[in-house]
Amino acid sequence: MALEFRAAKKSDLERLVEIHAAAFPDARGVEERTRVLTANPFGPLQDLVVVERDGELVGHAFLFRIKAWFGGRKVRVGAIASVGVAVEARGQGIGSRVLDELHRRSSVRGDAITMLYPFRQGYYARLGYGGGAPHKRLSCDPASIPAAWRLAAREHVVRADGRDREGMRRAYATAALHASGWIDRREAFWERRLTRDHVTHLAVRGKARGSIRGYVAFAITQAEASAEASVLVEELVAVDDAARRALFGALGALRDQASVVELEVSADDPLEFALMDPKNVLGAVAGGPMVRMNDTTRAIEARGYARDGTLDIVVDDGEASVLFVVCIESGRARVHAMAPKDRASAFSTSKATLASILYGGLRPSGALRLGLAEAAPSVAVRADELLAIPLLAPLDPF
């Protein structure tokens, strides 16, 4: 089956919208789908790779160029989205061929990893993707937010204005250093985020002029005039815990207007322990993105590390095993690859599981408990110390 891949063109839009609607059969109309393809905040239409068979478009997928923070360093990522195959071409392996092409392009241009939000994890696991950490969707009564937090909000939280824009951006960059998967937002992306009419921004200002310790962006919605209002939190960013509590307190202060606050937090966030009325807290675990290493050495060396030391990692890909001798100094890793001789002192796992450990937040000891890795107890302890990273929790799904 001869397939040809190229960048999308405006003349393709009618057919691309048709394929997109069949692949993602939700309520969006032609106009909104066209905006997704032509005015996506993560990249232009030219980032959409289309596949032709005998001159007919039969599939598409975005391959965005982004950078995201992992271990305190910005890493080049190939962000894959909107993978769609025409109805008449499904079941013929075209989707896998499209992804193979995207992986090749991403690797050639130097990306350390690719990342995507899966429609079905098992499908992408077969293509070398490792799972990322899930996140929690919380829904709570704003009155359940502690009174002390609401008091802190009255003292420290203000409505953000144009003076705070640069401070908010710096606060985001500071918080991103201690997170996994937060995207290095372009200027156009910030412009879109900060100029929407229906979104309110509140901030905690610092002592220095123009400094921001944190901010929250949210919308208050009602299904109809007489219905109860909901507070939908888009993002809450803080550089310290006191600022974070104050921002949550500001949401709690909306208890006379809204009956519920909805937000997403990292799977290990302890927020629900502080809410005063647990019966009013509903939580759901939602799947996060998956990650794939384009090149193992590049992936190990690209992210940052909090501890210095050495570790031998054996990666089995089903056909061959490779030993990666990892030396970490001043937060940077250097790797030497060779054929494995002795596994006794090595941490052994698959390429997909290593991707989850390096970029998804899976602890090496957790991989051992799941039967996804092998290592002596002392090696497992050292692997946890050296490879640990915050759970993958991007704020900007693509």
Side-chain angles (χ1 to χ4, degrees):
M1 177 173 51
L3 301 178
E4 295 184 3
F5 300 92
R6 61 171 174 81
K9 300 179 293 187
K10 287 187 177 180
S11 57
D12 299 324
L13 279 172
E14 182 176 354
R15 174 60 171 162
L16 292 174
V17 168
E18 179 184 344
I19 295 173
H20 191 275
F24 307 97
D26 49 51
R28 288 175 291 180
V30 171
E31 183 176 344
E32 187 172 355
R33 292 180 190 277
T34 300
R35 283 199 301 270
V36 168
L37 298 174
T38 61
N40 198 296
F42 294 97
L45 177 63
Q46 290 72 24
D47 283 345
L48 187 70
V49 177
V50 301
V51 55
E52 289 184 335
R53 182 178 62 184
D54 299 327
E56 178 74 12
L57 287 181
V58 292
H60 61 61
F62 272 117
L63 178 62
F64 298 119
R65 298 173 181 264
I66 67 172
K67 292 182 180 179
W69 275 275
F70 293 93
R73 292 190 66 205
K74 284 189 283 189
V75 175
R76 294 175 62 174
V77 178
I80 295 174
S82 298
V83 180
V85 176
V87 172
E88 72 278 8
R90 294 180 188 172
Q92 301 171 34
I94 291 177
S96 296
R97 293 277 298 278
V98 171
L99 287 161
D100 286 344
E101 175 66 13
L102 299 187
H103 297 156
R104 184 192 68 80
R105 293 186 178 204
S106 180
S107 183
V108 166
R109 72 188 189 192
D111 298 336
I113 62 172
T114 55
M115 185 163 63
L116 53 75
Y117 288 81
F119 74 94
R120 191 172 66 246
Q121 287 193 338
Y123 176 83
Y124 291 102
R126 293 193 294 272
L127 299 176
Y129 281 85
H135 54 267
K136 294 184 292 190
R137 292 174 178 163
L138 297 181
S139 176
C140 70
D141 187 329
S144 69
I145 294 174
W149 296 11
R150 298 198 299 271
L151 178 61
R154 289 203 299 269
E155 296 177 352
H156 301 291
V157 176
V158 298
R159 185 178 180 88
D161 57 32
R163 296 174 298 167
D164 301 310
R165 177 176 295 202
E166 287 305 312
M168 291 166 65
R169 293 177 63 168
R170 287 193 294 270
Y172 175 91
T174 299
L177 291 172
H178 307 285
S180 293
W182 284 25
I183 292 171
D184 184 21
R185 294 172 172 173
R186 301 183 178 96
E187 174 62 32
F189 195 103
W190 275 107
E191 185 67 22
R192 289 173 185 245
R193 300 287 292 186
L194 298 176
T195 57
R196 292 163 298 166
D197 293 335
H198 68 287
V199 177
T200 298
H201 291 84
L202 302 179
V204 176
R205 292 186 178 133
K207 293 181 180 180
R209 184 176 181 179
S211 67
I212 295 293
R213 291 168 51 208
Y215 66 89
V216 61
F218 62 90
I220 301 175
T221 65
Q222 283 179 297
E224 54 188 34
S226 59
E228 295 183 332
S230 298
V231 179
L232 306 180
V233 179
E234 293 196 349
E235 62 180 286
L236 192 153
V237 172
V239 300
D240 59 69
D241 291 332
R244 190 171 192 260
R245 292 192 296 269
L247 292 168
F248 274 113
L251 299 175
L254 301 173
R255 64 193 186 281
D256 292 332
Q257 178 183 5
S259 61
V260 65
V261 174
E262 298 180 8
L263 72 158
E264 294 187 357
V265 297
S266 175
D268 60 351
D269 194 306
L271 176 63
E272 61 264 36
F273 286 91
L275 299 175
M276 301 306 294
D277 190 355
K279 69 181 181 181
N280 287 333
V281 181
L282 301 175
V285 176
M290 300 182 75
V291 289
R292 179 184 183 275
M293 299 187 297
N294 286 330
D295 175 84
T296 302
T297 295
R298 188 188 304 166
I300 295 172
E301 293 183 342
R303 52 156 279 192
Y305 297 85
R307 298 279 298 271
D308 290 352
T310 61
L311 181 69
D312 290 350
I313 302 175
V314 172
V315 174
D316 297 304
D317 65 4
E319 295 182 0
S321 298
V322 179
L323 170 64
F324 296 90
V325 180
V326 182
C327 299
I328 303 170
E329 185 175 352
S330 300
R332 298 290 300 270
R334 290 292 178 262
V335 177
H336 179 61
M338 64 182 71
K341 297 179 180 178
D342 181 11
R343 291 174 177 256
S345 60
F347 182 87
S348 301
T349 189
S350 68
K351 187 175 180 180
T353 300
L354 185 59
S356 294
I357 292 171
L358 292 175
Y359 289 92
L362 174 64
R363 294 181 68 84
S365 57
L368 288 168
R369 293 179 63 186
L370 296 172
L372 300 175
E374 296 180 356
S378 60
V379 175
V381 170
R382 188 163 72 254
D384 273 356
E385 292 174 346
L386 296 178
L387 304 183
I389 196 170
L391 296 181
L392 177 59
L395 291 185
D396 306 310
F398 41 82

